[in-house]
Amino acid sequence: MDIRRVGVVGAGQMGNGIAHVFALAGYEVILHDIAEASLKAALATIDKNMERQVSRGKISAEVKAEALARISTSLDIALLGPTDLIIEAATEKEDIKNKIFASLAPHLAPHTILTSNTSSISITRLASRTDRPEKFMGFHFMNPVPVMQLVELIRGIATDGPTYDALKAVVDRLGKTASSSEDFPAFIVNRILIPMINEAVYTLYEGVGSVSSIDTALKLGANHPMGPLELADFIGLDTCLAIMNVLYDGLADTKYRPCPLLTKYVEAGWLGRKSQRGFYDYRGEVPVPTR
């Protein structure tokens, strides 16, 4: 099918990044959120990030202006119904995602493809609660969306071939690379990445190393661009914990038990960069380890 108009549900960090890359690729985008302030902040972020691309010579000012003109916003989720593709990019909570798809159901066009940007939740289970499980897929972008090249495509048990082919073509048009994953907890990237972060937290919890020594060891010893605890702060400790819980519950293997220290930080509201404190304190001029 020919996908031209795209609806994005959720104007947060992932949603505004997804709207950004789709608009640059020539798609008409409707960005939805429940808060007007979030939509205004998203447009400001998209403008700033595109301007950075202009300053680096990656796009022209004219291309930027045309892309921004292709993005509209709405507080009414019903307006997304007639689009060709809808990408849910709300918080990583299954009950919220189910409510979003339920609210969309009366307004959807027969051909509309539904997708979720979930990083770990069962696509088959999300799809089963809609009226079109054959037209439902996992469409997992990496953060930050305008920079990261990978998109995970996750088929649910009922997803049909034309739906997969249509989304693969979208990824190609975005200039990104698709990686196909079966629908098992956390898919590919987070199945490998988040347990590594959890093990780094255990290494801190057990006193094997400090925050700075653990991050330095992985950056210089494994050539990682960012240490695992620094990366956890960037992702959000609540998101890391949610994915570990999905792995632990879904695979019933004790090797996926979330570290108690990770749970403690989340309970304290120390979620990383977005809350200004996590494994580092970001309230000063330079980040300072909290342990």
Side-chain angles (χ1 to χ4, degrees):
M1 63 173 291
D2 186 19
I3 294 175
R4 298 184 180 185
R5 300 182 68 219
V6 178
V8 180
V9 181
Q13 189 172 36
M14 295 304 296
N16 74 59
I18 291 168
H20 174 143
V21 298
F22 271 86
L24 273 182
Y27 294 96
E28 297 292 328
V29 179
I30 304 176
L31 181 61
H32 163 78
D33 202 279
I34 58 174
E36 182 68 37
S38 296
L39 292 172
K40 289 181 178 178
L43 289 177
T45 298
I46 294 168
D47 186 285
K48 180 184 70 175
N49 289 339
M50 285 188 183
E51 186 57 38
R52 185 181 296 119
Q53 290 176 301
V54 172
S55 68
R56 293 176 179 175
K58 295 187 175 182
I59 62 172
S60 67
E62 183 181 6
V63 167
K64 174 195 169 185
E66 291 171 351
L68 287 175
R70 283 191 283 268
I71 302 174
S72 60
T73 61
S74 175
L75 293 170
D76 184 3
I77 201 168
L79 295 182
L80 275 63
T83 59
D84 305 310
L85 167 65
I86 293 176
I87 305 164
E88 172 275 311
T91 188
E92 192 70 354
K93 294 183 179 177
E94 189 168 347
D95 60 334
I96 291 175
K97 295 180 186 297
N98 285 330
K99 287 176 183 176
I100 288 169
F101 291 121
S103 67
L104 282 166
H107 313 290
L108 296 175
H111 72 279
T112 301
I113 294 175
L114 293 177
T115 68
S116 176
N117 185 58
T118 178
S119 53
S120 61
I121 297 169
S122 168
I123 298 303
T124 297
R125 196 164 62 239
L126 289 173
S128 72
R129 298 191 174 106
T130 73
D131 66 343
R132 59 194 66 205
E134 72 286 348
K135 292 184 180 297
F136 193 108
M137 273 189 64
F139 206 25
H140 182 214
F141 289 79
M142 306 295 125
N143 184 31
V145 180
V147 176
M148 301 295 280
Q149 287 300 302
L150 185 74
V151 181
E152 283 186 314
L153 296 180
I154 306 103
R155 280 179 277 208
I157 196 169
T159 306
D160 63 24
T163 298
Y164 175 85
D165 293 341
L167 290 189
K168 176 63 170 62
V170 168
V171 175
D172 292 341
R173 180 170 164 183
L174 294 176
K176 296 188 182 293
T177 300
S179 174
S180 298
S181 170
E182 293 301 317
D183 183 25
F184 291 102
F187 318 130
I188 295 173
V189 173
N190 285 324
R191 170 76 177 264
I192 297 166
L193 176 64
I194 301 301
M196 183 200 75
I197 288 174
N198 193 54
E199 192 62 29
V201 182
Y202 266 115
T203 305
L204 178 65
Y205 175 64
E206 294 169 2
V208 179
S210 64
V211 169
S212 58
S213 63
I214 291 167
D215 277 351
T216 298
L218 268 293
K219 282 191 285 189
L220 301 184
N223 205 28
H224 289 189
M226 195 182 292
L229 301 176
E230 182 185 3
L231 180 57
D233 277 357
F234 180 77
I235 294 169
L237 304 193
D238 52 339
T239 300
C240 293
L241 180 60
I243 295 170
M244 282 308 301
N245 279 323
V246 167
L247 283 165
Y248 190 43
D249 294 341
L251 298 172
D253 191 325
T254 55
K255 73 179 181 179
Y256 297 115
R257 184 172 67 96
C259 179
L261 184 60
L262 178 60
T263 302
K264 189 68 67 180
Y265 268 70
V266 173
E267 288 174 344
W270 291 21
L271 308 180
R273 285 181 177 269
K274 62 186 173 185
S275 66
Q276 295 294 295
R277 279 192 291 187
F279 292 112
Y280 293 85
D281 189 327
Y282 300 92
R283 292 174 298 174
E285 290 187 9
V286 296
V288 177
T290 53
R291 290 179 85 86

Short mmCIF file of all heavy atoms in Angstrom, two decimals, residues 20-21 52-53 56 58 142-150 176:
data_model
loop_
_atom_site.label_atom_id
_atom_site.label_comp_id
_atom_site.label_asym_id
_atom_site.label_seq_id
_atom_site.Cartn_x
_atom_site.Cartn_y
_atom_site.Cartn_z
N HIS A 20 9.85 14.01 13.29
CA HIS A 20 10.97 14.70 12.63
C HIS A 20 11.43 13.93 11.39
O HIS A 20 11.47 14.48 10.28
CB HIS A 20 12.10 14.83 13.66
CG HIS A 20 13.39 15.38 13.15
ND1 HIS A 20 14.18 16.22 13.91
CD2 HIS A 20 14.09 15.19 11.99
CE1 HIS A 20 15.27 16.54 13.22
NE2 HIS A 20 15.24 15.91 12.06
N VAL A 21 11.74 12.64 11.55
CA VAL A 21 12.30 11.89 10.42
C VAL A 21 11.26 11.60 9.35
O VAL A 21 11.58 11.57 8.15
CB VAL A 21 12.99 10.58 10.89
CG1 VAL A 21 14.15 10.89 11.83
CG2 VAL A 21 12.01 9.62 11.55
N ARG A 52 19.93 22.30 13.74
CA ARG A 52 21.27 21.72 13.93
C ARG A 52 21.71 20.99 12.65
O ARG A 52 22.87 21.08 12.25
CB ARG A 52 21.26 20.76 15.12
CG ARG A 52 22.65 20.20 15.46
CD ARG A 52 22.60 19.24 16.64
NE ARG A 52 22.19 19.90 17.86
CZ ARG A 52 21.12 19.61 18.57
NH1 ARG A 52 20.31 18.63 18.18
NH2 ARG A 52 20.83 20.27 19.68
N GLN A 53 20.78 20.30 12.01
CA GLN A 53 21.10 19.62 10.75
C GLN A 53 21.44 20.63 9.65
O GLN A 53 22.32 20.39 8.83
CB GLN A 53 19.93 18.73 10.32
CG GLN A 53 19.73 17.51 11.20
CD GLN A 53 18.50 16.70 10.79
OE1 GLN A 53 17.38 17.21 10.79
NE2 GLN A 53 18.71 15.44 10.43
N ARG A 56 24.94 21.99 10.13
CA ARG A 56 25.97 21.00 9.80
C ARG A 56 25.97 20.62 8.31
O ARG A 56 26.72 19.73 7.89
CB ARG A 56 25.78 19.75 10.65
CG ARG A 56 26.04 20.00 12.14
CD ARG A 56 25.75 18.77 12.99
NE ARG A 56 26.02 19.02 14.40
CZ ARG A 56 25.78 18.16 15.39
NH1 ARG A 56 25.22 16.99 15.10
NH2 ARG A 56 26.06 18.47 16.64
N LYS A 58 23.64 19.12 6.60
CA LYS A 58 22.98 17.86 6.28
C LYS A 58 21.67 18.07 5.52
O LYS A 58 21.25 17.22 4.73
CB LYS A 58 22.74 17.05 7.55
CG LYS A 58 24.04 16.59 8.21
CD LYS A 58 23.79 15.64 9.36
CE LYS A 58 25.11 15.11 9.92
NZ LYS A 58 24.90 14.14 11.01
N MET A 142 15.16 3.68 17.54
CA MET A 142 16.17 3.87 18.57
C MET A 142 16.28 5.36 18.92
O MET A 142 15.98 6.23 18.10
CB MET A 142 17.55 3.36 18.09
CG MET A 142 17.54 1.92 17.60
SD MET A 142 17.18 0.70 18.89
CE MET A 142 15.79 -0.15 18.14
N ASN A 143 16.73 5.66 20.11
CA ASN A 143 16.84 7.02 20.61
C ASN A 143 18.29 7.51 20.58
O ASN A 143 19.17 6.78 21.05
CB ASN A 143 16.30 7.05 22.05
CG ASN A 143 16.27 8.45 22.64
OD1 ASN A 143 16.08 9.42 21.93
ND2 ASN A 143 16.48 8.53 23.94
N PRO A 144 18.56 8.70 20.04
CA PRO A 144 17.66 9.68 19.43
C PRO A 144 17.32 9.31 17.98
O PRO A 144 18.21 8.95 17.20
CB PRO A 144 18.46 10.99 19.50
CG PRO A 144 19.89 10.55 19.50
CD PRO A 144 19.94 9.22 20.20
N VAL A 145 16.05 9.41 17.65
CA VAL A 145 15.55 8.91 16.36
C VAL A 145 16.24 9.54 15.15
O VAL A 145 16.60 8.83 14.21
CB VAL A 145 14.02 9.08 16.27
CG1 VAL A 145 13.50 8.57 14.94
CG2 VAL A 145 13.33 8.37 17.43
N PRO A 146 16.45 10.88 15.12
CA PRO A 146 17.08 11.45 13.92
C PRO A 146 18.52 10.98 13.69
O PRO A 146 19.02 11.07 12.57
CB PRO A 146 17.05 12.97 14.20
CG PRO A 146 15.95 13.15 15.19
CD PRO A 146 16.02 11.93 16.06
N VAL A 147 19.16 10.47 14.73
CA VAL A 147 20.57 10.08 14.63
C VAL A 147 20.75 8.58 14.41
O VAL A 147 21.56 8.14 13.58
CB VAL A 147 21.34 10.50 15.91
CG1 VAL A 147 22.78 10.01 15.87
CG2 VAL A 147 21.29 12.02 16.08
N MET A 148 19.99 7.78 15.12
CA MET A 148 20.19 6.32 15.12
C MET A 148 19.62 5.70 13.84
O MET A 148 18.51 6.01 13.41
CB MET A 148 19.54 5.69 16.34
CG MET A 148 20.09 6.24 17.65
SD MET A 148 21.83 5.83 17.89
CE MET A 148 21.69 4.14 18.46
N GLN A 149 20.38 4.79 13.26
CA GLN A 149 20.06 4.25 11.94
C GLN A 149 19.14 3.03 11.97
O GLN A 149 18.54 2.68 10.96
CB GLN A 149 21.35 3.88 11.19
CG GLN A 149 22.12 5.08 10.70
CD GLN A 149 21.30 5.92 9.73
OE1 GLN A 149 20.84 5.45 8.71
NE2 GLN A 149 21.10 7.18 10.07
N LEU A 150 19.02 2.37 13.12
CA LEU A 150 18.28 1.11 13.17
C LEU A 150 16.81 1.29 13.50
O LEU A 150 16.44 2.13 14.31
CB LEU A 150 18.91 0.18 14.22
CG LEU A 150 18.30 -1.23 14.28
CD1 LEU A 150 18.74 -2.05 13.08
CD2 LEU A 150 18.68 -1.93 15.57
N LYS A 176 16.83 4.56 6.76
CA LYS A 176 17.32 3.79 7.90
C LYS A 176 17.43 2.31 7.53
O LYS A 176 17.09 1.91 6.42
CB LYS A 176 16.40 4.01 9.10
CG LYS A 176 16.40 5.46 9.61
CD LYS A 176 15.65 5.62 10.90
CE LYS A 176 15.62 7.06 11.38
NZ LYS A 176 16.97 7.56 11.77
#
